[in-house]
Short mmCIF file of all heavy atoms in Angstrom, two decimals:
data_model
loop_
_atom_site.label_atom_id
_atom_site.label_comp_id
_atom_site.label_asym_id
_atom_site.label_seq_id
_atom_site.Cartn_x
_atom_site.Cartn_y
_atom_site.Cartn_z
N GLU A 658 32.99 37.14 145.79
CA GLU A 658 31.69 36.69 145.37
C GLU A 658 31.78 35.30 144.74
O GLU A 658 32.44 35.08 143.74
CB GLU A 658 31.11 37.63 144.33
CG GLU A 658 29.71 37.29 143.91
CD GLU A 658 29.15 38.21 142.85
OE1 GLU A 658 29.86 39.13 142.48
OE2 GLU A 658 28.03 38.01 142.45
N LEU A 659 31.09 34.34 145.40
CA LEU A 659 31.16 32.97 144.91
C LEU A 659 30.06 32.70 143.89
O LEU A 659 28.98 33.28 143.99
CB LEU A 659 31.02 31.98 146.10
CG LEU A 659 32.12 32.11 147.13
CD1 LEU A 659 31.83 31.16 148.28
CD2 LEU A 659 33.50 31.82 146.55
N ARG A 660 30.32 31.76 143.01
CA ARG A 660 29.34 31.47 141.97
C ARG A 660 28.33 30.47 142.49
O ARG A 660 28.65 29.28 142.83
CB ARG A 660 30.03 30.88 140.75
CG ARG A 660 29.09 30.52 139.62
CD ARG A 660 29.94 29.91 138.53
NE ARG A 660 29.05 29.51 137.37
CZ ARG A 660 29.46 28.85 136.33
NH1 ARG A 660 30.73 28.50 136.25
NH2 ARG A 660 28.66 28.56 135.34
N ARG A 661 27.02 30.84 142.56
CA ARG A 661 25.95 29.95 143.00
C ARG A 661 24.75 30.07 142.06
O ARG A 661 23.68 30.63 142.36
CB ARG A 661 25.49 30.30 144.41
CG ARG A 661 26.53 29.98 145.52
CD ARG A 661 25.94 30.17 146.87
NE ARG A 661 26.85 29.94 147.96
CZ ARG A 661 27.64 30.87 148.49
NH1 ARG A 661 27.53 32.14 148.10
NH2 ARG A 661 28.48 30.53 149.41
N PRO A 662 24.93 29.61 140.83
CA PRO A 662 23.80 29.72 139.84
C PRO A 662 22.71 28.80 140.22
O PRO A 662 22.93 27.72 140.76
CB PRO A 662 24.47 29.28 138.54
CG PRO A 662 25.59 28.39 138.95
CD PRO A 662 26.10 28.91 140.25
N SER A 663 21.47 29.23 139.91
CA SER A 663 20.31 28.44 140.24
C SER A 663 19.16 28.75 139.24
O SER A 663 18.90 29.91 138.95
CB SER A 663 19.85 28.67 141.68
OG SER A 663 18.66 28.03 141.96
N ILE A 664 18.48 27.71 138.81
CA ILE A 664 17.37 27.96 137.92
C ILE A 664 16.20 28.52 138.69
O ILE A 664 15.31 29.10 138.11
CB ILE A 664 16.90 26.64 137.29
CG1 ILE A 664 16.55 25.58 138.38
CG2 ILE A 664 17.97 26.07 136.40
CD1 ILE A 664 15.97 24.33 137.82
N VAL A 665 16.19 28.45 140.00
CA VAL A 665 15.12 29.07 140.77
C VAL A 665 15.24 30.52 140.83
O VAL A 665 14.27 31.27 140.98
CB VAL A 665 15.17 28.42 142.19
CG1 VAL A 665 14.00 28.96 143.05
CG2 VAL A 665 15.10 26.94 142.16
N ARG A 666 16.45 31.07 140.73
CA ARG A 666 16.68 32.49 140.72
C ARG A 666 16.07 33.25 139.58
O ARG A 666 16.03 34.46 139.58
CB ARG A 666 18.21 32.82 140.82
CG ARG A 666 18.80 32.42 142.15
CD ARG A 666 20.20 32.98 142.24
NE ARG A 666 20.89 32.57 143.48
CZ ARG A 666 22.09 32.91 143.77
NH1 ARG A 666 22.79 33.62 142.93
NH2 ARG A 666 22.66 32.56 144.95
N ARG A 667 15.64 32.49 138.57
CA ARG A 667 15.00 33.21 137.45
C ARG A 667 13.62 33.80 137.92
O ARG A 667 13.12 34.65 137.30
CB ARG A 667 14.78 32.15 136.34
CG ARG A 667 16.09 31.62 135.78
CD ARG A 667 15.83 30.58 134.73
NE ARG A 667 17.12 29.87 134.42
CZ ARG A 667 17.92 30.29 133.49
NH1 ARG A 667 17.66 31.33 132.77
NH2 ARG A 667 19.08 29.65 133.25
N ASN A 668 13.11 33.29 139.06
CA ASN A 668 11.95 33.90 139.68
C ASN A 668 12.42 35.19 140.41
O ASN A 668 13.15 35.13 141.34
CB ASN A 668 11.30 32.93 140.68
CG ASN A 668 9.97 33.42 141.21
OD1 ASN A 668 9.74 34.59 141.31
ND2 ASN A 668 9.08 32.49 141.47
N PRO A 669 11.90 36.30 140.00
CA PRO A 669 12.38 37.58 140.56
C PRO A 669 12.20 37.64 142.05
O PRO A 669 13.03 38.23 142.79
CB PRO A 669 11.60 38.64 139.89
CG PRO A 669 11.11 38.03 138.63
CD PRO A 669 10.93 36.58 138.92
N ARG A 670 11.07 37.01 142.61
CA ARG A 670 10.82 37.12 144.02
C ARG A 670 11.92 36.39 144.78
O ARG A 670 12.44 36.88 145.72
CB ARG A 670 9.46 36.46 144.30
CG ARG A 670 8.60 37.32 145.12
CD ARG A 670 7.26 36.72 145.42
NE ARG A 670 7.14 35.34 144.99
CZ ARG A 670 6.10 34.57 145.28
NH1 ARG A 670 5.14 35.04 146.03
NH2 ARG A 670 6.05 33.34 144.86
N LEU A 671 12.24 35.14 144.26
CA LEU A 671 13.24 34.35 144.95
C LEU A 671 14.63 34.96 144.72
O LEU A 671 15.51 34.86 145.57
CB LEU A 671 13.25 32.90 144.42
CG LEU A 671 11.90 32.12 144.72
CD1 LEU A 671 12.00 30.79 144.07
CD2 LEU A 671 11.66 32.02 146.19
N GLN A 672 14.75 35.56 143.57
CA GLN A 672 16.11 36.18 143.33
C GLN A 672 16.34 37.34 144.25
O GLN A 672 17.46 37.52 144.67
CB GLN A 672 16.14 36.67 141.86
CG GLN A 672 17.52 37.03 141.43
CD GLN A 672 17.61 37.36 139.97
OE1 GLN A 672 16.49 37.52 139.35
NE2 GLN A 672 18.72 37.43 139.36
N ALA A 673 15.30 37.98 144.62
CA ALA A 673 15.48 39.13 145.57
C ALA A 673 15.85 38.63 146.96
O ALA A 673 16.56 39.27 147.69
CB ALA A 673 14.20 39.93 145.64
N LEU A 674 15.31 37.48 147.30
CA LEU A 674 15.56 36.89 148.60
C LEU A 674 17.04 36.34 148.69
O LEU A 674 17.56 36.19 149.80
CB LEU A 674 14.60 35.75 148.92
CG LEU A 674 13.16 36.20 149.12
CD1 LEU A 674 12.31 34.93 149.28
CD2 LEU A 674 12.98 37.17 150.26
N GLY A 675 17.57 36.08 147.53
CA GLY A 675 18.97 35.62 147.50
C GLY A 675 19.10 34.28 148.10
O GLY A 675 20.04 34.00 148.90
N GLU A 676 18.19 33.35 147.89
CA GLU A 676 18.28 32.02 148.42
C GLU A 676 19.52 31.30 147.91
O GLU A 676 19.93 31.40 146.78
CB GLU A 676 17.03 31.21 148.03
CG GLU A 676 15.74 31.74 148.71
CD GLU A 676 14.55 30.93 148.29
OE1 GLU A 676 14.77 29.87 147.60
OE2 GLU A 676 13.44 31.30 148.66
N ASP A 677 20.02 30.53 148.86
CA ASP A 677 21.28 29.78 148.50
C ASP A 677 20.94 28.41 148.05
O ASP A 677 21.10 27.42 148.72
CB ASP A 677 22.17 29.70 149.76
CG ASP A 677 23.59 29.25 149.43
OD1 ASP A 677 23.88 29.23 148.26
OD2 ASP A 677 24.26 28.92 150.38
N ILE A 678 20.38 28.33 146.80
CA ILE A 678 19.98 27.05 146.21
C ILE A 678 20.99 26.72 145.14
O ILE A 678 21.27 27.55 144.22
CB ILE A 678 18.59 27.12 145.66
CG1 ILE A 678 17.62 27.52 146.81
CG2 ILE A 678 18.24 25.81 145.05
CD1 ILE A 678 16.17 27.71 146.30
N VAL A 679 21.47 25.55 145.16
CA VAL A 679 22.51 25.12 144.21
C VAL A 679 21.93 24.40 143.06
O VAL A 679 21.20 23.41 143.25
CB VAL A 679 23.61 24.27 144.93
CG1 VAL A 679 24.67 23.82 143.93
CG2 VAL A 679 24.25 25.04 146.06
N ASP A 680 22.25 24.79 141.90
CA ASP A 680 21.89 24.05 140.65
C ASP A 680 22.87 22.92 140.55
O ASP A 680 24.05 23.09 140.28
CB ASP A 680 21.96 25.01 139.46
CG ASP A 680 21.59 24.27 138.14
OD1 ASP A 680 21.12 23.15 138.24
OD2 ASP A 680 21.92 24.84 137.12
N LEU A 681 22.32 21.64 140.53
CA LEU A 681 23.19 20.45 140.49
C LEU A 681 23.98 20.42 139.20
O LEU A 681 25.14 20.02 139.12
CB LEU A 681 22.33 19.23 140.62
CG LEU A 681 23.09 17.85 140.70
CD1 LEU A 681 24.01 17.87 141.93
CD2 LEU A 681 22.08 16.73 140.79
N ASP A 682 23.35 20.89 138.13
CA ASP A 682 24.03 20.87 136.78
C ASP A 682 25.24 21.71 136.82
O ASP A 682 26.34 21.33 136.51
CB ASP A 682 23.01 21.33 135.71
CG ASP A 682 23.63 21.36 134.37
OD1 ASP A 682 24.70 20.74 134.18
OD2 ASP A 682 23.14 22.06 133.50
N SER A 683 25.09 22.96 137.22
CA SER A 683 26.22 23.91 137.24
C SER A 683 27.23 23.49 138.28
O SER A 683 28.43 23.66 138.03
CB SER A 683 25.65 25.33 137.57
OG SER A 683 24.78 25.72 136.57
N PHE A 684 26.74 22.98 139.41
CA PHE A 684 27.71 22.59 140.46
C PHE A 684 28.59 21.43 139.98
O PHE A 684 29.84 21.52 140.16
CB PHE A 684 26.94 22.15 141.68
CG PHE A 684 27.81 21.83 142.86
CD1 PHE A 684 28.19 22.83 143.73
CD2 PHE A 684 28.23 20.54 143.08
CE1 PHE A 684 29.00 22.52 144.79
CE2 PHE A 684 29.00 20.23 144.18
CZ PHE A 684 29.43 21.26 145.04
N SER A 685 28.03 20.43 139.39
CA SER A 685 28.85 19.34 138.86
C SER A 685 29.76 19.74 137.77
O SER A 685 30.90 19.32 137.64
CB SER A 685 27.94 18.19 138.38
OG SER A 685 27.18 18.61 137.34
N GLU A 686 29.30 20.65 136.90
CA GLU A 686 30.12 21.15 135.84
C GLU A 686 31.28 21.91 136.37
O GLU A 686 32.47 21.73 135.94
CB GLU A 686 29.28 22.13 134.93
CG GLU A 686 30.11 22.88 133.91
CD GLU A 686 30.77 22.01 132.94
OE1 GLU A 686 30.27 20.87 132.67
OE2 GLU A 686 31.81 22.32 132.37
N GLN A 687 31.08 22.75 137.35
CA GLN A 687 32.10 23.63 137.89
C GLN A 687 33.13 22.79 138.63
O GLN A 687 34.38 23.06 138.50
CB GLN A 687 31.52 24.64 138.81
CG GLN A 687 32.60 25.60 139.42
CD GLN A 687 31.91 26.54 140.37
OE1 GLN A 687 30.66 26.65 140.45
NE2 GLN A 687 32.73 27.27 141.10
N HIS A 688 32.71 21.85 139.42
CA HIS A 688 33.59 21.20 140.36
C HIS A 688 34.21 19.93 139.83
O HIS A 688 35.34 19.59 140.13
CB HIS A 688 32.92 20.88 141.69
CG HIS A 688 32.60 22.10 142.49
ND1 HIS A 688 33.47 22.66 143.37
CD2 HIS A 688 31.47 22.90 142.48
CE1 HIS A 688 32.91 23.77 143.91
NE2 HIS A 688 31.71 23.92 143.36
N PHE A 689 33.46 19.13 139.07
CA PHE A 689 33.90 17.80 138.73
C PHE A 689 34.39 17.66 137.21
O PHE A 689 35.27 16.86 136.95
CB PHE A 689 32.82 16.78 138.97
CG PHE A 689 32.45 16.73 140.43
CD1 PHE A 689 31.23 17.24 140.88
CD2 PHE A 689 33.30 16.16 141.33
CE1 PHE A 689 30.88 17.24 142.17
CE2 PHE A 689 32.96 16.14 142.66
CZ PHE A 689 31.75 16.66 143.15
N LYS A 690 33.81 18.47 136.37
CA LYS A 690 34.28 18.45 134.99
C LYS A 690 35.76 18.88 134.93
O LYS A 690 36.57 18.27 134.27
CB LYS A 690 33.38 19.28 134.14
CG LYS A 690 33.83 19.41 132.71
CD LYS A 690 33.64 18.07 132.03
CE LYS A 690 34.10 18.14 130.57
NZ LYS A 690 33.38 19.09 129.83
N SER A 691 36.09 19.90 135.65
CA SER A 691 37.45 20.43 135.59
C SER A 691 38.41 19.37 136.29
O SER A 691 39.53 19.19 135.79
CB SER A 691 37.58 21.73 136.35
OG SER A 691 37.16 21.58 137.68
N LYS A 692 37.93 18.69 137.32
CA LYS A 692 38.75 17.68 137.95
C LYS A 692 39.02 16.51 136.96
O LYS A 692 40.16 16.00 136.94
CB LYS A 692 38.11 17.17 139.20
CG LYS A 692 38.87 16.02 139.85
CD LYS A 692 38.17 15.49 141.05
CE LYS A 692 38.93 14.27 141.61
NZ LYS A 692 38.30 13.68 142.74
N ALA A 693 37.98 16.11 136.29
CA ALA A 693 38.18 15.00 135.28
C ALA A 693 39.14 15.39 134.17
O ALA A 693 40.00 14.61 133.79
CB ALA A 693 36.77 14.62 134.68
N LEU A 694 39.08 16.63 133.75
CA LEU A 694 40.05 17.11 132.74
C LEU A 694 41.44 17.14 133.24
O LEU A 694 42.41 16.74 132.60
CB LEU A 694 39.63 18.47 132.20
CG LEU A 694 38.33 18.53 131.38
CD1 LEU A 694 37.96 19.93 131.05
CD2 LEU A 694 38.52 17.72 130.07
N ARG A 695 41.61 17.57 134.52
CA ARG A 695 42.90 17.60 135.13
C ARG A 695 43.47 16.19 135.30
O ARG A 695 44.67 15.93 135.05
CB ARG A 695 42.90 18.31 136.46
CG ARG A 695 42.70 19.84 136.37
CD ARG A 695 43.10 20.49 137.64
NE ARG A 695 42.42 19.97 138.82
CZ ARG A 695 41.17 20.44 139.24
NH1 ARG A 695 40.62 21.40 138.53
NH2 ARG A 695 40.64 19.94 140.27
N ALA A 696 42.61 15.27 135.79
CA ALA A 696 43.08 13.89 135.92
C ALA A 696 43.49 13.30 134.58
O ALA A 696 44.48 12.58 134.50
CB ALA A 696 41.98 13.03 136.54
N ALA A 697 42.70 13.57 133.50
CA ALA A 697 43.06 13.02 132.20
C ALA A 697 44.36 13.62 131.72
O ALA A 697 45.19 12.93 131.14
CB ALA A 697 41.93 13.31 131.22
N GLY A 698 44.57 14.93 131.92
CA GLY A 698 45.79 15.55 131.48
C GLY A 698 46.98 15.02 132.26
O GLY A 698 48.08 14.78 131.73
#
């Protein structure tokens, strides 16, 4: 199960449909914040 958080999923109707909408905030946090920390380390 992959992590695909989305502010749109807070709508129950859309949440039921399981739309694959990516929250830019969570996506950048998950993918690039960790990379920046690794590069700094």
Side-chain angles (χ1 to χ4, degrees):
E658 183 181 0
L659 298 177
R660 179 184 179 186
R661 292 189 180 91
S663 174
I664 58 175
V665 184
R666 287 190 183 179
R667 298 176 190 270
N668 189 327
R670 230 179 7 170
L671 296 176
Q672 192 173 13
L674 294 175
E676 290 181 6
D677 193 13
I678 302 176
V679 177
D680 177 14
L681 186 60
D682 178 19
S683 300
F684 185 86
S685 62
E686 169 66 24
Q687 178 183 353
H688 291 272
F689 298 106
K690 178 68 181 299
S691 58
K692 177 184 176 181
L694 290 173
R695 287 198 303 273

